[in-house]
Every structure is written in C-alpha cells, then in structure tokens.
C-alpha cells in the first residue's frame, strides 16, 4: 500500500493519485454508467432537493425515498445499477483491499453552485471498511470535522485526480463540500465536478 500525501484528522489524502489520462478514462467509463442509470436529484428527508445530482454503480445504490436515505438494489426509475467500472475498482484494490470489493460506487455531480453540507456516511451496515473517494473536474473545498456535530474543522482543496480514504478513526467523521472553484479544471466539458465514493454496504 502506498503512503498518503497527508493525513488530516485521520483522513488519508492521496494528491494526484490519477494522472490526466487515467482521469479521462474514468470519465468515459462514468458516462456509460450515467447513460444506463441517469443522474437524479435526491430530496432530503426534510423535503429539500439536494444541489448535487447522483447515481450509483454496484450491487447497491444510495437513494432517498422521501423519508430517509437508504441503499437500494434499483435506481428510482427501476433499472438495476450498472457494474462498478474496472478503473474504479483498480483504485480500491490499490488502496483498500484486493479481496473485498465495494458494493456501491456513488457518483455525485456538482455544478459550480452545488455544495454538500456537513454529514456522516453512516447508512452502511459495516463500518469496518473505509469509504474511498475520487475527485474529478473542478477543485472543491473539502471540510473535515469531528465525530459529533460542531467543533473545530479543517479544510483543504481537493483537485482532479486526488483520492481520499476515510477509514478507521475517521470512518464516521463529519465532512462536506463548501464550494467548487469554477473553471479550475478542463477535464469535464461544461465544467463542474464529479465525486465518486466507494463503499462496502453490508
Ligand atoms: C465530495 N465526499 O467529495 C463528497 N464521503 O464531493 C464525501 O461526502 C465523502 O469524500 C465519505 C468519504 C469521502 C468523501
Ligand atoms: Fe460523505
């Protein structure tokens, strides 16, 4: 396993893990996923539309059913989720495990106005595996807090090709995206940002 570029609040950050060619290949694979399982805009349990659009690949996908968030075997439109693209699994194999692969790869699309409030990733059953995240496209200001709401936080900019592994003591830490830096990457035509998060669900 490789050494992270930095560890911030027990979160491991691998700057520039993917080169430009690898990022472009990933985007191509993701276009295929999105063509089969279209991006949708989840509604929070309090009834507001999230600013981020999402879809998933894998055995399970992450959805909001209007009451709560949960993992489901099918897209809201009824289709099964496409398989997780091989180049995504390759990152997981290199940084997490060659034997246990993720059940879900959640795909988040941010326009330049989108953001994501501080949250924990805790809809999974098994917290012994980390969440692995990949950033593509425009830079994003990532904030990392604590195991409970509130308190001091630290922020850093995530760039296209950066990979974050949130496991162990950091698995349930609060985190979010404060803002996107428009025009900071030319990877995605039309700009914006894609974030992938791979999870073991059950
Ligand atoms: C994002 N990421 O980077 C949002 N969750 O757009 C996450 O919410 C996240 O980066 C769990 C682990 C790593 C993450
Ligand atoms: Fe998260």
């Amino acid at each position: 396993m490789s050494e992270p570029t930095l560890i911030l609040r027990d979160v491991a950050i691998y700057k520039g893990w993917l080169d430009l060619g690898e990022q472009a290949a990933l985007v191509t694979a993701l276009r295929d996923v999105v063509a089969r399982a279209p991006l949708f805009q989840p509604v929070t349990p309090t009834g507001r539309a999230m600013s981020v659009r999402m879809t998933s690949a894998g055995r399970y996908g992450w959805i909001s059913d209007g009451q709560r968030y949960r993992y489901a075997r099918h897209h809201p439109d009824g289709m099964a989720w496409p398989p997780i693209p091989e180049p995504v699994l390759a990152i997981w194999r290199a940084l997490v495990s060659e034997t246990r692969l993720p059940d879900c790869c959640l795909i988040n699309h941010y326009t330049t106005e989108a953001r994501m409030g501080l949250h924990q990733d805790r809809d999974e059953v098994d917290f012994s595996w980390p969440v692995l995240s990949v950033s593509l496209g425009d830079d994003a200001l990532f904030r990392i807090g604590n195991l409970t709401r509130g308190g001091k936080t630290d922020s850093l900019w995530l760039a296209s090709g950066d990979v974050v592994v949130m496991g162990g003591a950091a698995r349930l830490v609060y985190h979010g995206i404060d803002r996107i830096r428009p025009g900071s990457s030319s990877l995605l035509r039309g700009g914006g940002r894609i974030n992938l998060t791979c999870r073991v669900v059950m």
Side-chain angles (χ1 to χ4, degrees), residues 116 119-121 131 142 166 175 197 199:
M116 187 172 299
H119 66 277
Q120 292 172 298
D121 285 26
V131 178
F142 186 56
M166 198 179 273
H175 58 281
T197 45
R199 306 113 187 281

Side-chain angles (χ1 to χ4, degrees), residues 2-24:
S2 322
E3 288 302 312
T5 315
L6 76 150
I7 296 177
L8 187 58
R9 294 179 178 244
D10 296 313
V11 176
I13 296 139
Y14 299 81
K15 298 295 288 180
W17 181 259
L18 301 172
D19 67 27
L20 264 178
E22 292 169 325
Q23 295 168 38

Side-chain angles (χ1 to χ4, degrees), residues 18 28 61 63 89 148 164-165 189 200:
L18 301 172
T28 300
I63 64 161
L89 294 176
T148 53
V164 171
V165 178
R189 54 169 187 261
V200 167

Side-chain angles (χ1 to χ4, degrees), residues 108 110 116 119 121 131-135 140 142 158 164-166 175-177 193-197 199:
N108 292 166
Y110 294 73
M116 187 172 299
H119 66 277
D121 285 26
V131 178
L132 177 146
S133 115
V134 181
S135 293
F142 186 56
L158 293 177
V164 171
V165 178
M166 198 179 273
H175 58 281
I177 296 290
R193 173 175 184 262
I194 294 172
N195 174 258
L196 309 177
T197 45
R199 306 113 187 281

Side-chain angles (χ1 to χ4, degrees), residues 157-195:
W157 284 97
L158 293 177
S160 195
D162 292 353
V163 174
V164 171
V165 178
M166 198 179 273
R171 177 62 181 77
L172 291 172
V173 93
Y174 276 86
H175 58 281
I177 296 290
D178 287 344
R179 60 194 164 94
I180 304 296
R181 190 148 57 194
S184 46
S185 163
S186 54
L187 184 71
L188 305 175
R189 54 169 187 261
R193 173 175 184 262
I194 294 172
N195 174 258

